[in-house]
Amino acid sequence: NAGVTQTPKFRILKIGQSMTLQCAQDMNHNYMYWYRQDPGMGLKLIYYSVGAGITDKGEVPNGYNVSRSTTEDFPLRLELAAPSQTSVYFCASSYSPRGSYGYTFGSGTRLTVV
Amino acid sequence: KNEVEQSPQNLTAQEGEFITINCSYSVGISALHWLQQHPGGGIVSLFMLSSGKKKHGRLIATINIQEKHSSLHITASHPRDSAVYICAVSRLGGGSEKLVFGKGTKLTVNP
């Protein structure tokens, strides 16, 4: 199984540009998450989804949008990129809401906004 | 104050040493997770605990719900154990999907 696939791995954006970070899982997990990881800080939840068609905000949703049209895919959209969005982004999925069987993470996207 | 605190922040050990990493939390939880972040950045789940103790190979995780504290132990440490170890909790009640993370403990094991 591929697990959770994130693309791209690296990206440099100019201020004001937009982009979509792709995330796909092949484990039929209902629960999917987007986190950002800033240096010296714990991961912060941006958005999450409990199933196709259902998404909700996490701790730091401003400047981001998500959609969940299928169980497999959970893209994260950055509109009008700002330097504060420079970070490493991780997509993750789980079988249950509290991760009883663990979480599967993508390999991350390192984004720099200049 | 962060809801999840880890100690130490950094830990350097010699190969073969017994390692302990601590996690304290201040909220009611339904589960606690230990994760490992490799030097290349990848993150993997190690344990999910709601009570007691779990063991996998040389890794042992314990939790004391009353004291709101968990420990991750590594026996006979090896350089390949060098990584950042992250504690995260699922809050009790609504919103258990929303993990709250500690800042991580960076472990370096020297040969």
Side-chain angles (χ1 to χ4, degrees):
Chain A
N1 286 340
V4 175
T5 302
Q6 262 186 261
T7 55
K9 292 195 186 310
F10 303 94
R11 183 74 186 266
I12 298 174
L13 276 183
K14 293 184 179 177
I15 294 171
Q17 287 185 322
S18 300
M19 75 165 294
T20 299
L21 280 66
Q22 301 291 345
C23 176
Q25 54 91 9
D26 62 356
M27 297 167 286
N28 205 34
H29 285 172
N30 281 325
Y31 298 87
M32 295 188 75
Y33 316 85
W34 274 106
Y35 296 100
R36 59 178 287 171
Q37 185 178 40
D38 299 316
M41 303 296 292
L43 284 90
K44 301 285 187 188
L45 181 65
I46 304 171
Y47 270 95
Y48 69 101
S49 170
V50 302
I54 307 170
T55 63
D56 206 350
K57 295 177 181 179
E59 296 175 77
V60 289
N62 291 343
Y64 306 95
N65 272 303
V66 293
S67 59
R68 184 95 182 270
S69 56
T70 66
T71 300
E72 294 77 21
D73 299 300
F74 190 41
L76 177 72
R77 178 85 177 158
L78 278 73
E79 304 281 1
L80 298 174
S84 60
Q85 293 178 304
T86 294
S87 190
V88 181
Y89 292 83
F90 289 96
C91 179
S93 71
S94 66
Y95 177 77
S96 68
R98 61 174 198 159
S100 300
Y101 302 96
Y103 293 86
T104 302
F105 283 79
S107 57
T109 297
R110 186 174 294 274
L111 175 68
T112 303
V113 181
V114 296
Chain B
K1 188 175 187 292
N2 293 332
E3 292 176 326
V4 179
E5 297 279 358
Q6 288 186 237
S7 63
Q9 277 187 287
N10 294 282
L11 182 55
T12 300
Q14 289 301 120
E15 185 172 355
E17 285 184 0
F18 181 83
I19 305 292
T20 296
I21 299 170
N22 297 298
C23 175
S24 297
Y25 52 92
S26 57
V27 296
I29 68 168
S30 59
L32 182 143
H33 298 265
W34 283 101
L35 308 161
Q36 180 192 53
Q37 186 166 23
H38 299 138
I43 301 173
V44 296
S45 284
L46 296 176
F47 295 104
M48 190 280 283
L49 295 161
S50 54
S51 64
K53 176 179 173 178
K54 286 189 177 178
K55 184 176 189 290
H56 182 68
R58 294 179 294 106
L59 273 62
I60 304 166
T62 64
I63 188 168
N64 185 318
I65 297 293
Q66 287 72 30
E67 294 189 2
K68 295 187 174 178
H69 181 268
S70 175
S71 293
L72 177 68
H73 305 286
I74 304 174
T75 62
S77 60
H78 189 276
R80 64 176 175 265
D81 297 325
S82 297
V84 175
Y85 292 85
I86 301 170
C87 173
V89 301
S90 298
R91 288 196 190 95
L92 199 60
S96 60
E97 307 89 352
K98 302 177 186 179
L99 284 180
V100 180
F101 292 82
K103 294 182 180 180
T105 294
K106 184 175 181 181
L107 172 65
T108 303
V109 182
N110 293 318

